[in-house]
Amino acid sequence: MKVKMLEVYCDSSYNENKDSYIGCVVLRDSIQIHQSTTKVRGDPHNNLDCELAALDFAISLVRVFSEGDKEIIIYNDSTEAVKAFQGKTGEVEEEFPESRISFEYIPREKMYQAAADSLSKKFPVFFSSTVTCNVESFSRREDILSDIAGNKSNVFYLEKVPEMSSNKKTCYRLVIRTMERILSDDRFYSIKKGGPGTQVKAAEEIRGDLSNPEILSSLKSKGIRPENSYFLLTDETWGLRGTDSQACSILPSSIPHKIICDEVDRSPQNLFKRAERFR
């Protein structure tokens, strides 16, 4: 039985003689359910005051989102602030008797902590509001290349369509192919610029389509096998990549697949050229 887990990543930005802010990201079972930017109350005198306020605010979010989770972890990138709250663990656990609570240090470079840091600076975070997967390089992965070459595994990727794009929108073509041939390239997504990144919004639309049974049935009638397929992250969709070698996929998490790229040349041509020797 899977243990229910609630995680809160919090960070703050201290601004002397100006308002300071807290950024928080909340996850349940590794799926983000909330993000927010909140003004630090009172008159903080230094960065530590702000980090302590961030941890305190994270506890208030636990009160809001806790559903009797067995494990609750609150992260912050200040060792001093985390140490102070670790001393209060027993006191906090009294408020949540069904849960085990811990306060943990985490480097700011980690993806969700980086998102909390961005939120504390009042920068919106669009990428981290979606489910992400690890990105695997195919450069030296013979298993990936041989799977694509020998098992006719499907590769999904997006191409920009310049003639259908403008200053106000970007058009992407969804290409699905095997080593031998293109199976589908007639689905287009015209995304209005502004707000969340166009690539993120395109991914959201495509995931919605690939979760639609009717559309999936239509694709499968063309010989497309979404399960155990690959989403190729190209230069044109590099905006889907976050920190920590993770990226937002265009395939829903219900379909088993991998996200792949190359360190230097992320083009489809490079992928299939490398796979050619495994045919």
Side-chain angles (χ1 to χ4, degrees):
M1 182 176 177
K2 187 174 181 180
V3 177
K4 289 179 65 179
M5 178 182 290
L6 187 73
E7 298 172 283
V8 183
Y9 294 78
C10 65
D11 202 356
S12 67
S13 293
Y14 172 61
N15 297 307
E16 190 173 4
N17 300 322
K18 293 192 296 184
D19 290 338
S20 300
Y21 291 89
I22 298 166
C24 283
V25 178
V26 183
L27 284 75
R28 167 164 287 110
D29 297 330
S30 301
I31 297 176
Q32 184 182 170
I33 59 174
H34 171 82
Q35 62 175 236
S36 60
T37 300
T38 305
K39 180 181 174 182
V40 177
R41 294 181 179 180
D43 183 22
H45 296 92
N46 50 47
N47 184 66
L48 178 59
D49 283 352
C50 288
E51 297 295 5
L52 293 170
L55 285 159
D56 196 52
F57 182 72
I59 294 173
S60 71
L61 290 178
V62 171
R63 295 188 186 105
V64 173
F65 292 104
S66 178
E67 297 178 351
D69 305 276
K70 295 299 182 184
E71 184 105 23
I72 298 173
I73 306 175
I74 299 177
Y75 298 98
N76 186 273
D77 60 9
S78 166
T79 54
E80 193 173 357
V82 168
K83 188 175 180 180
F85 269 77
Q86 285 176 342
K88 301 179 181 180
T89 300
E91 177 185 335
V92 176
E93 283 186 337
E94 289 180 4
E95 190 176 346
F96 306 96
E98 298 179 359
S99 307
R100 182 177 66 181
I101 295 181
S102 58
F103 297 91
E104 304 288 346
Y105 166 80
I106 190 170
R108 184 172 296 175
E109 293 74 24
K110 295 297 182 180
M111 181 175 67
Y112 291 111
Q113 191 62 30
D117 173 59
S118 180
L119 287 163
S120 75
K121 295 179 172 63
K122 300 175 69 176
F123 297 147
V125 179
F126 302 111
F127 167 75
S128 66
S129 64
T130 60
V131 178
T132 58
C133 307
N134 289 326
V135 180
E136 303 180 40
S137 174
F138 61 78
S139 308
R140 294 174 296 278
R141 289 289 297 274
E142 293 189 2
D143 57 330
I144 291 176
L145 296 172
S146 61
D147 185 39
I148 291 172
N151 296 328
K152 298 182 179 180
S153 297
N154 290 185
V155 177
F156 291 67
Y157 58 93
L158 300 183
E159 290 181 341
K160 287 184 182 177
V161 187
E163 62 273 20
M164 298 175 67
S165 300
S166 68
N167 292 332
K168 295 184 178 180
K169 65 180 182 180
T170 301
C171 184
Y172 294 96
R173 173 190 285 113
L174 173 62
V175 181
I176 309 171
R177 62 164 295 176
T178 62
M179 185 77 185
E180 287 77 20
R181 65 189 182 93
I182 292 175
L183 302 173
S184 174
D185 64 353
D186 58 357
R187 299 193 70 84
F188 296 88
Y189 296 84
S190 185
I191 309 299
K192 184 178 179 180
K193 294 181 180 179
T198 53
Q199 296 170 24
V200 174
K201 290 192 286 187
E204 290 172 348
E205 284 197 24
I206 297 168
R207 278 199 308 275
D209 280 358
L210 296 179
S211 299
N212 184 317
E214 292 185 5
I215 293 177
L216 271 179
S217 177
S218 173
L219 292 175
K220 288 179 178 179
S221 69
K222 298 180 179 182
I224 292 169
R225 295 179 299 153
E227 293 77 14
N228 301 314
S229 59
Y230 297 90
F231 168 45
L232 175 63
L233 200 64
T234 63
D235 286 335
E236 293 179 332
T237 50
W238 198 240
L240 296 177
R241 190 179 186 278
T243 58
D244 256 10
S245 298
Q246 295 219 336
C248 167
S249 181
I250 63 172
L251 280 83
S253 57
S254 58
I255 297 177
H257 68 283
K258 292 181 178 179
I259 302 179
I260 57 174
C261 73
D262 183 79
E263 288 94 340
V264 179
D265 185 348
R266 308 176 188 104
S267 66
Q269 294 78 11
N270 179 47
L271 171 63
F272 294 112
K273 180 180 179 181
R274 286 179 178 270
E276 184 69 33
R277 64 188 180 94
F278 294 95
R279 296 184 73 170

